[in-house]
Amino acid sequence: QVKLVESGGGLVQAGDSLRLSCTTPGRTFSLYIMGWFRQAPGKEREAVASITWSTGTTYYAEGLKGRFTISRDNAQNTLYLQMNNLKPEDTAVYYCAARRLGLSGWPYWGQGTQVTVSS
C-alpha cells in the first residue's frame, strides 16, 4: 500500500504562488508515475500534471503549462507542484496520486489539500 501525504495548500490572492508537496513515508517513487489532480466544487476531478519519476518526463493539462510546474526531489523523495500567478478558477482540492509504471489507472491517492484563490 502506498500512503501519500500532501501539504502546502492555503488561501492566497490572485497572482500569488503556492507550492504543494507530496511524500510517502518509507517508500521511493522510482517505479511510479506521480500526478497531481484537482477537483473544484461541483466539478469532476481533473488531471493537472504528471511526472515519470525515473526519467523526469512530464505532462501538463492544456492551459496550465507555464503557470504550473511539476517536479520531484529524489533525495527528499518528494513530489512538488509549483503554482504561479494563481487565479480564482484554480480554487480546488488538489490531490497527489501514484501508479506503477506499466499499469493503468491511479490506485493511490492522498487526502487532498485545499487551495483557495481569492480575487
Side-chain angles (χ1 to χ4, degrees):
Q1 187 71 311
V2 177
K3 181 179 179 181
L4 303 173
V5 180
E6 303 106 331
S7 60
L11 172 63
V12 297
Q13 293 186 334
D16 286 350
S17 298
L18 274 178
R19 188 176 75 164
L20 306 182
S21 302
C22 174
T23 190
T24 185
R27 180 183 292 270
T28 65
F29 293 134
S30 59
L31 298 179
Y32 288 81
I33 298 173
M34 305 298 298
W36 288 100
F37 293 75
R38 67 184 182 183
Q39 188 167 20
K43 295 186 177 181
E44 293 188 355
R45 186 155 51 189
E46 62 178 358
V48 173
S50 65
I51 186 168
T52 301
W53 194 271
S54 58
T55 64
T57 302
T58 57
Y59 158 85
Y60 292 91
E62 187 174 350
L64 294 181
K65 189 174 185 178
R67 290 197 301 123
F68 289 16
T69 303
I70 189 170
S71 63
R72 87 281 198 224
D73 183 325
N74 282 308
Q76 298 294 326
N77 200 40
T78 302
L79 176 73
Y80 297 105
L81 182 68
Q82 177 68 43
M83 305 184 292
N84 298 327
N85 189 24
L86 283 161
K87 303 176 180 181
E89 52 263 41
D90 295 319
T91 295
V93 178
Y94 285 72
Y95 298 90
C96 171
R99 62 183 175 97
R100 286 288 296 258
L101 283 169
L103 300 181
S104 62
W106 295 89
Y108 307 113
W109 292 86
Q111 81 286 354
T113 185
Q114 176 71 47
V115 172
T116 303
V117 185
S118 63
S119 58

